Amino acid sequence: MQRICVIGGSRYFGKLLVQRSLEAGHRVTVVNRGSAPPPPGAEHLVVDRDDEAALTAVLGGRTFDVVVDQVCYTPVQAATAVRVFRDRTARYVMTSTIEVYDPATAAPVPAAPGVPVAEERVDPAGWRVRLDLPWHDAAYLEDHYAEGKRQAEAVFTREGPFAFASVRSAHVLGGGAQEFTGRLAHYVERVGRGEEIAVHREEQPSVFIHYAELADLLRWAATGTGFTGPLNACSDGLLDVTGLTAVVAAASGVRPVHRTVAPGEPAGPFSFDRFYAMSNRRAKELGFVFSRTADWLPAAVAEAVAASAAPAS
């Protein structure tokens, strides 16, 4: 049994992480703003993580074996967490993203064409941190999501007194209506209505992960291994948007209609004009066993089709 603090954990794979941690016999404390209650059995502390004084007060004298931070988006939030949890935990795991590698938002170390990127392509130890940027502004944060994650990783790596690991998640699918980003629903709804799907002339593949697999990986990262540094999290197998819409078509019975966008014109959320894949080799070498995207994708799409057809509550 370990004492786990989950910051966030109110929905999707974060909620499942809490649930499965409880089922495994761990003691779980969920810290969030109270938008939704945690699964039964978890301690719930309601506080805004951006309010350092309030966060310190509500934690009181609690200490943890590990903290899993699901909702750290900026270096300012990371710096606050370092101060608050400095003497409260021995290990800290942050949920990060494939977008830290996006060349559209930064200039990471170049990778060979067509080769999935490894973790060292973006080294948080050497990434520049700017605490003075307007991270508190919602519009700025949305436009600089990837940079916020990179800088948050950098703060934890350089300043955290605890063992720090970041899990760089691939695009997450599955869960039907639980999938709150709406990216899979974007394709399900357009295919179902016979609307055009905007794609690039030369579609490039990316990597994905099922939400339950990500929850399991985060629990493993928190309690089953002691690795530090960044870790890529993606199921085996590449997938491009035409392959995705083919699975949607098989589930819905409607043939997709693709429209090629002009250069510079935006396409759909999973349409990429550059190779956009990560290597999961490090996680495998550490002992985690991934599923294949092709094995779970049909069921995930079927859930999304069912959710799209369900009447609004």
Side-chain angles (χ1 to χ4, degrees):
M1 182 185 71
Q2 294 193 38
R3 295 164 298 168
I4 306 172
C5 175
V6 178
I7 306 176
S10 64
R11 59 182 177 178
Y12 207 29
F13 59 84
K15 186 175 182 179
L16 187 57
L17 163 67
V18 173
Q19 179 180 325
R20 292 191 172 178
S21 297
L22 290 167
E23 291 170 353
H26 300 299
R27 292 173 57 187
V28 183
T29 296
V30 174
V31 176
N32 60 33
R33 291 180 295 183
S35 58
E43 179 185 32
H44 191 195
L45 303 180
V46 179
V47 68
D48 184 346
R49 65 158 309 148
D50 294 328
D51 187 333
E52 183 172 346
L55 179 58
T56 300
V58 78
L59 286 170
R62 292 173 179 82
T63 59
F64 309 97
D65 296 297
V66 59
V67 174
V68 183
D69 196 337
Q70 296 281 79
V71 289
C72 185
Y73 302 111
T74 76
V76 174
Q77 291 176 324
T80 296
V82 166
R83 291 190 295 269
V84 172
F85 289 96
R86 176 174 297 278
D87 298 317
R88 297 179 188 272
T89 188
R91 181 166 177 79
Y92 203 104
V93 177
M94 171 189 157
T95 303
S96 191
T97 172
I98 186 177
E99 293 189 36
V100 301
Y101 301 114
D102 189 353
T105 63
V109 177
V115 176
V117 298
E119 289 83 357
E120 58 265 25
R121 187 177 173 195
V122 173
D123 180 6
W127 206 264
R128 185 185 183 194
V129 171
R130 290 284 307 277
L131 297 175
D132 59 320
L133 295 175
W135 296 112
H136 61 281
D137 181 83
Y140 181 87
L141 181 56
E142 182 176 359
D143 290 342
H144 297 82
Y145 172 73
E147 182 61 17
K149 286 288 191 180
R150 285 188 286 260
Q151 292 194 27
E153 285 191 41
V155 169
F156 282 124
T157 300
R158 298 203 290 261
E159 300 181 14
F162 30 64
F164 171 67
S166 60
V167 173
R168 294 172 175 171
S169 171
H171 312 293
V172 188
L173 298 177
Q178 295 181 71
E179 198 278 287
F180 63 92
T181 70
R183 293 177 295 184
L184 182 54
H186 169 93
Y187 292 104
V188 166
E189 292 168 2
R190 279 161 177 72
V191 170
R193 294 194 295 257
E195 297 178 356
E196 291 182 335
I197 305 295
V199 300
H200 291 100
R201 183 172 301 280
E202 296 183 6
E203 276 298 326
Q204 297 293 317
S206 189
V207 285
F208 296 79
I209 190 168
H210 192 271
Y211 84 107
E213 185 166 42
L214 181 55
D216 287 340
L217 187 147
L218 286 166
R219 184 166 66 86
W220 168 78
T223 65
T225 179
F227 79 90
T228 57
L231 187 84
N232 293 339
C234 57
S235 301
D236 289 335
L238 303 178
L239 179 69
D240 64 20
V241 73
T242 56
L244 175 61
T245 55
V247 177
V248 173
S252 63
V254 180
R255 183 178 179 180
V257 180
H258 296 127
R259 177 181 65 83
T260 301
V261 299
E265 181 185 355
F270 293 137
S271 181
F272 302 105
D273 58 359
R274 73 279 187 194
F275 187 79
Y276 198 27
M278 302 185 296
S279 167
N280 60 13
R281 180 178 176 179
R282 185 182 187 215
K284 289 179 176 179
E285 290 176 344
L286 289 166
F288 191 83
V289 179
F290 288 98
S291 66
R292 290 191 58 80
T293 300
D295 292 338
W296 55 257
L297 183 61
V301 168
E303 287 179 316
V305 170
S308 177
S313 59

